[in-house]
Amino acid sequence: MQPLINLRGGGPVDHLAICGPDTRQAAAEVEALTGIAPHLGEPEPGQFYWSASLSLGHRRFLEILGPNPAYRGFNPLTETVRRFDRLRPVFWYVGTDDFEGFSARSKALGAPVERIQRVSYTYEATGDLIDYTRGVVGPGFRSARPCVIQWDKRPARGEHEQRLELRALRLTAPGAERLRNLFKALGIEHPVETGAAHNDVDLGPPKGPSTFEGPGIALEGLSGAARLLSLYAKYLLPFT
């Protein structure tokens, strides 16, 4: 069976995100904790989030994400992270060079790739083109399940600059056995422990070991404004 997952540093993680209520403040907290200043660029056009990033080596990166102050719409993710009292891991990505093939296999396994989005824009600061396709391994969204991305034009992430080490992404989920079976069938070699939902990220030097941890979030669907609001109240508020 043709591998669908790109390995980076010997593992499936393309990038992962820790989230907080204010992106600029979150980036400053990460710099104070780790000794490395994340790159904080302009928000992606039309997106509800604004993120900073820093390299984890092996073409992996850490995303530090919060609400986009210029965004005027409603989004349950950013409405949730506005209430976080500390930075928490919320999502992680695997990379593929065959988005359609990955999606077909995932759907056949009962885990359709949802909220598929093609993003293409020119980064004004450098003139670089950024182009990718992404989606969420469903159904719905759970922090333990990955998102998936195919980079057609990948942005520079300071790969040759000072970087952190990704020592561990620890996943815990109530349905761990089902998740392990899904991962195996998709070629995602990553352990999942049985227990209450939790995502933990361990990072290494330069300044020393650091850990971000939290219960993640769960969202069952996105279909219409009324359903958004009801799902937000039912599934997201308990995690704030």
Side-chain angles (χ1 to χ4, degrees):
M1 186 178 292
Q2 181 68 26
L4 291 175
I5 298 299
N6 297 328
L7 297 182
R8 304 195 187 281
V13 176
D14 180 276
H15 67 281
L16 49 86
I18 56 175
C19 298
D22 182 281
T23 303
R24 195 180 299 277
Q25 180 180 335
E29 290 179 15
V30 170
E31 180 179 6
L33 183 64
T34 67
I36 300 182
H39 173 71
L40 180 60
E42 63 213 39
E44 290 187 10
Q47 295 291 356
F48 58 86
Y49 58 84
W50 182 24
S51 65
S53 65
L54 56 80
S55 175
L56 297 173
H58 306 285
R59 303 191 73 199
R60 301 172 300 186
F61 64 94
L62 175 69
E63 189 170 9
I64 302 101
L65 184 144
N68 178 358
Y71 186 75
R72 294 292 176 260
F74 171 85
N75 184 275
L77 173 62
T78 51
E79 291 305 312
T80 299
V81 303
R82 288 181 200 278
R83 292 163 172 78
F84 283 3
D85 59 359
R86 66 185 185 281
L87 292 175
R88 300 184 190 176
V90 169
F91 59 83
W92 63 291
Y93 273 83
V94 296
T96 182
D97 292 327
D98 184 1
F99 193 93
E100 290 186 3
F102 181 96
S103 298
R105 189 180 299 175
S106 194
K107 181 178 180 180
L109 294 166
V113 177
E114 301 175 341
R115 281 169 268 172
I116 297 173
Q117 186 178 26
R118 174 72 181 273
V119 177
S120 183
Y121 67 98
T122 300
Y123 187 52
E124 293 183 3
T126 62
D128 292 336
L129 174 67
I130 298 170
D131 195 344
Y132 59 86
T133 303
R134 67 184 175 193
V136 175
V137 176
F141 174 83
R142 300 269 172 179
S143 288
R145 290 200 300 258
C147 305
V148 59
I149 190 165
Q150 178 175 331
W151 296 101
D152 293 307
K153 187 65 176 178
R154 189 182 182 96
R157 298 285 179 179
E159 192 67 20
H160 301 295
E161 300 174 0
Q162 192 178 27
R163 68 192 68 158
L164 295 178
E165 302 167 9
L166 176 58
R167 292 188 165 179
L169 167 62
R170 299 192 304 277
L171 305 174
T172 307
E177 184 63 28
R178 293 192 302 272
L179 201 52
R180 286 192 289 266
N181 290 338
L182 174 65
F183 282 13
K184 182 177 181 180
L186 290 173
I188 301 172
E189 295 185 7
H190 197 91
V192 186
E193 299 297 324
T194 301
H198 225 264
N199 285 23
D200 301 327
V201 175
D202 291 341
L203 303 176
K207 201 172 179 178
S210 54
T211 297
F212 299 92
E213 57 185 17
I217 63 173
L219 181 63
E220 296 305 320
L222 292 173
S223 56
R227 183 158 174 76
L228 273 173
L229 291 170
S230 64
L231 287 169
Y232 168 62
K234 182 177 181 180
Y235 293 105
L236 294 181
L237 284 178
F239 293 91
T240 62

